[in-house]
Amino acid sequence: MTDHRRSATLTVRNATVEDVPAILELQDRAYPDMPPDLPGQIRGQIQAFPDGQFVVEYEGDVVGWCATFIIDEATAFAPHTYAEITGNGYAARHDDDGDWLYGMEVAVDPSRRRLRIGQRLYNARKSLCQEWGLKGVVFGGRMPGLKRRRKSYPNPEDYLAAVQAREVKDPVANFQLRMGFEPAGILKAYYPDDKDSLGNAALMVWRNPKYVEVSNNGRRPDPQTVRVAAVQFQARAVDSVREFERNVEYFVDVCSDYKADFCVFPEMFTVALLSLEKKKLTPQESIEALTRHTPRFLEFMSKLAVRYNINIVGGSHPTKTDDGDIQNVAYIFLRDGSIHSQEKIHPTPNEKYWWNIKGGDFVHAIPTDCGPVGVLICYDMEFPELARRMADEGARIIFCPYATDDRTSHLRVRYCSHARAIENQVFVVTAGNVGNLPDVENMDINYAESAVITPCDFPFARDGLAAVASESVETVAVADLRVDDLTEARRSGTVRNLRDRRFDLYRIVWSEPSDR
C-alpha cells in the first residue's frame, strides 16, 4: 500500500495584522509571567516596518514570532530602556535611514522547542539586515538565570562575563552567543517586568560581514504620493433613499475622476435621510430612525468604493450595537471591498444629552493600499492621546469627518487638527457639512471649511494648509500628499516631534480590555 502521509510544513514569513491574535496567544504561552503586548502595539510594529516582523508557521499554527525595526547607531548603542528605544512598544522610532536593525522581541512556542524556531527567526533577522545593507543587528537580550545566581554575581556585568566564559549557563544568553552575537555591555532597568533578569538586559550585537560603507545605499522607497479629496457635503431634504444615494455617488464619481485615493465625507452626513420621516421626530427618535438605514448604507458605500476604485471614508453614521446602545461610527470602505470601522470615543455633551450617543472604546490604525491611516470623528480630534496612538501604530494620514454649527465650533476642530499634524508629523484631512435641515433636531445649521492640513516645516504647504474649501459652500478640496516628506521631516526636520519625545519621562498607558 502506498504511504500517503503528508510531511509537516514549516514556513517563516512576514507577519500581517491578521496574525495579531495568534501572536498574542503565543506571547501568553511563551512568557506566562510577563504581561503581553497590546494588540495596538503589534499592529504598530507591523505597520511601521512590515519587512521586519516575522512569524514561524507550523502546520497552520503560529509557533514563533519576532519584531524588529531600524534605528540609528548613536541611539542603538547609547544607554536606553525597552520603552525608550521602541517608542513604548510600537516601533515608533523606526527610521528607514538608520544603520542598525534593532530586535524588539522574540517568542517561541514552548511545546515546539525542537523545531529550531529561534534559530530560524535570528537567521531571518540577519538576512533582513544584509538585504537592507545595514551594519548589523543589536538588541537587549534577556538573562533569565541572573535572579537565581544574584548572590554569586551581584553585578549583572559579572554574571554576563561568567556566561561568556562558560562558567555558568544561561538559557537565553548562551543561545544568543551560539548565534554569533557578542555582548557590548549591560542595559540597566531595561525591562522592569522581566523579574528573572532583574530588569536588566545584555546589549547583544551581530555585525554584518557583508556591510559596505556607501554614501547613499538607495534603500529609501520611491516617493509615495497619496491624493485625498475632502467632500464638503450639503445637507438637503430628499424624497427617497435613492435620491440621497445619487447625491453621494455624484461626489464619489467626481473624486474618482480626479484620481483620488481617498474620498472623505463629513460626520453624520446621513441625517438627510431623516427628511423622509412622515412626522417631526424627537432627537432620540431621529437617531433611532437613522440606525435602521445602516445595512443598506454599508452595502451601498462598499459597492461604490469597489466600482469607482477609490477608498471612501464614509463620514460617520449612528449605529446600534448588539447591546442596544447607539454609537457614532465612521465606516471606511476600501476599494478591495473590505469595510473597517472607527467608533467616536468622545461624544459631545449635546450628543449625549439629545441623542443618547455612547462613546466607543477602541482606536486603531487601519491598513490600506496607501499605508496605515487613522480616523478621528470631530470632537475626538480635540484629545491628543488618540492621534498619538494612531501615529504610533503607523498612520501617516488621519481623517477627521466633522459636523459643527458655527465658526467657533469649526475652529476648535481646525486648530486641534493643526496641533495633531504638528505633534505627530502626520497629514490631517477634515471634511464638514454645510447647509441646513430645518426639521432635524440638533442638526439645524452647519458651518464648515474643510481642509487638508500638513505639518509646519519647509517641505510642506505654506501655513500648513495643502487645500482649503470655500466657507460653507458645497465643494471638494483636493490635494496631493507626499508621504516621503513625512519620513524626511521625522528624520531631519527643523523639529522632530516624534523622535524627540522623552520616553524616559512619560508614556500613554492604554486599557488592555478595551483593546483586545
Side-chain angles (χ1 to χ4, degrees):
M1 177 181 292
T2 304
D3 188 351
H4 293 291
R5 288 180 298 178
R6 182 170 56 88
S7 300
T9 58
L10 185 149
T11 58
V12 181
R13 60 171 175 81
N14 285 118
T16 68
V17 290
E18 287 76 20
D19 294 315
V20 170
I23 292 171
L24 292 171
E25 291 175 5
L26 173 63
Q27 285 185 332
D28 286 335
R29 298 194 300 273
Y31 302 112
D33 298 327
M34 289 196 289
D37 288 337
L38 296 177
Q41 290 172 315
I42 306 293
R43 287 193 296 266
Q45 296 160 15
I46 293 170
Q47 291 167 163
F49 185 36
D51 289 354
Q53 322 312 317
F54 297 98
V55 293
V56 177
E57 206 169 38
Y58 181 70
E59 293 293 88
D61 295 327
V62 173
V63 297
W65 161 77
C66 75
T68 65
F69 61 95
I70 298 174
I71 196 77
D72 63 281
E73 182 169 281
T75 304
F77 286 89
H80 59 265
T81 66
Y82 176 84
E84 291 168 2
I85 196 76
T86 66
N88 290 324
Y90 288 90
R93 301 184 73 174
H94 169 72
D95 179 3
D96 275 345
D97 292 320
D99 35 24
W100 284 83
L101 191 68
Y102 195 95
M104 284 184 63
E105 299 184 54
V106 173
V108 174
D109 191 323
S111 67
R112 308 294 180 125
R113 295 289 186 187
R114 297 183 180 276
L115 297 176
R116 301 181 184 273
I117 296 169
Q119 179 179 335
R120 297 172 193 270
L121 291 170
Y122 277 70
N123 286 339
R125 282 178 172 173
K126 291 178 181 178
S127 296
L128 178 67
C129 171
Q130 292 181 335
E131 288 171 12
W132 278 68
L134 302 174
K135 291 183 177 180
V137 182
V138 61
F139 58 84
R142 299 184 64 228
M143 300 181 290
L146 179 59
K147 181 179 178 179
R148 290 185 292 106
R149 297 180 177 270
R150 59 180 166 181
K151 289 185 179 179
S152 301
Y153 301 97
N155 297 317
E157 292 86 353
D158 295 337
Y159 174 79
L160 182 58
V163 172
Q164 200 171 5
R166 300 184 181 181
E167 296 172 4
V168 298
K169 291 183 179 180
D170 184 283
V172 174
N174 283 126
F175 169 75
Q176 292 164 351
L177 290 169
R178 289 197 303 273
M179 290 299 298
F181 287 83
E182 299 176 351
I186 293 292
L187 298 169
K188 300 288 182 68
Y190 180 74
Y191 192 69
D193 288 321
D194 185 1
K195 305 302 183 184
D196 290 338
S197 303
L198 302 179
N200 298 294
L203 184 63
M204 304 296 284
V205 180
W206 175 81
R207 300 182 186 277
N208 178 9
K210 298 182 180 180
Y211 175 73
V212 177
E213 188 79 43
V214 292
S215 58
N216 181 6
N217 57 25
R219 289 197 313 270
R220 294 193 65 191
D222 292 335
Q224 181 189 8
T225 299
V226 178
R227 179 167 293 177
V228 296
V231 178
Q232 195 156 277
F233 192 77
Q234 180 172 334
R236 54 168 68 82
V238 293
D239 294 325
S240 66
V241 176
R242 183 62 195 126
E243 182 182 352
F244 170 76
E245 291 174 343
R246 281 197 298 270
N247 294 336
V248 173
E249 185 171 358
Y250 167 79
F251 282 104
V252 173
D253 189 6
V254 168
C255 296
S256 178
D257 283 346
Y258 277 92
K259 295 180 171 52
D261 295 292
F262 289 94
C263 171
V264 190
F265 285 93
E267 177 186 22
M268 297 290 288
F269 77 117
T270 56
V271 292
L273 294 170
L274 292 177
S275 61
L276 301 176
E277 298 299 320
K278 303 298 184 183
K279 63 175 183 176
K280 187 173 182 178
L281 305 177
T282 66
Q284 290 196 26
E285 288 173 338
S286 298
I287 290 300
E288 185 78 27
L290 269 182
T291 65
R292 295 195 288 270
H293 292 279
T294 302
R296 177 168 175 169
F297 172 72
L298 296 181
E299 181 181 8
F300 169 70
M301 296 295 284
S302 183
K303 287 181 178 178
L304 284 185
V306 174
R307 185 187 316 150
Y308 287 94
N309 190 30
I310 191 171
N311 300 308
I312 302 174
V313 179
S316 75
H317 176 76
T319 301
K320 184 171 288 189
T321 63
D322 293 338
D323 58 9
D325 289 337
I326 296 177
Q327 292 184 334
N328 190 355
V329 181
Y331 292 98
I332 299 86
F333 306 92
L334 301 185
R335 47 188 161 200
D336 64 3
S338 60
I339 303 175
H340 298 263
S341 63
Q342 175 59 64
E343 306 161 351
K344 188 172 186 176
I345 306 301
H346 304 93
T348 63
N350 269 349
E351 286 177 283
K352 293 177 184 177
Y353 179 78
W354 291 106
W355 291 338
N356 198 28
I357 294 285
K358 304 297 183 183
D361 59 5
F362 75 90
V363 290
H364 61 89
I366 297 165
T368 76
D369 57 0
C370 298
V373 303
V375 179
L376 293 177
I377 305 172
C378 197
Y379 191 33
D380 281 347
M381 188 57 74
E382 299 176 31
F383 295 83
E385 297 88 349
L386 305 185
R388 176 55 52 83
R389 169 66 175 271
M390 291 177 171
D392 277 343
E393 288 194 17
R396 300 297 183 97
I397 305 173
I398 297 179
F399 298 102
C400 179
Y402 75 103
T404 51
D405 56 351
D406 62 10
R407 182 171 173 79
T408 57
S409 301
H410 153 77
L411 288 176
R412 286 195 295 271
V413 177
R414 167 66 71 81
Y415 292 154
C416 288
S417 295
H418 278 284
R420 303 297 86 83
I422 292 168
E423 293 164 352
N424 299 292
Q425 295 179 290
V426 296
F427 298 114
V428 176
V429 182
T430 65
N433 296 294
V434 297
N436 308 313
L437 282 171
D439 294 326
V440 178
E441 295 288 348
N442 204 41
M443 201 74 176
D444 309 280
I445 59 174
N446 294 278
Y447 180 98
E449 290 179 63
S450 304
V452 181
I453 298 166
T454 76
C456 291
D457 210 340
F458 292 114
F460 304 106
R462 181 175 179 263
D463 301 328
L465 291 168
V468 184
S470 299
E471 175 184 344
S472 292
V473 174
E474 187 172 53
T475 186
V476 179
V478 183
D480 282 340
L481 304 178
R482 287 175 56 95
V483 178
D484 58 308
D485 284 344
L486 293 178
T487 302
E488 181 64 22
R490 292 177 175 187
R491 184 182 68 85
S492 58
T494 306
V495 292
R496 304 159 199 176
N497 302 72
L498 284 182
R499 177 176 290 192
D500 290 341
R501 284 180 286 174
R502 288 290 302 274
F503 293 104
D504 58 325
L505 291 181
Y506 53 80
R507 64 191 178 105
I508 299 173
V509 179
W510 290 88
S511 173
E512 184 175 350
S514 67
D515 199 42
R516 285 272 189 178

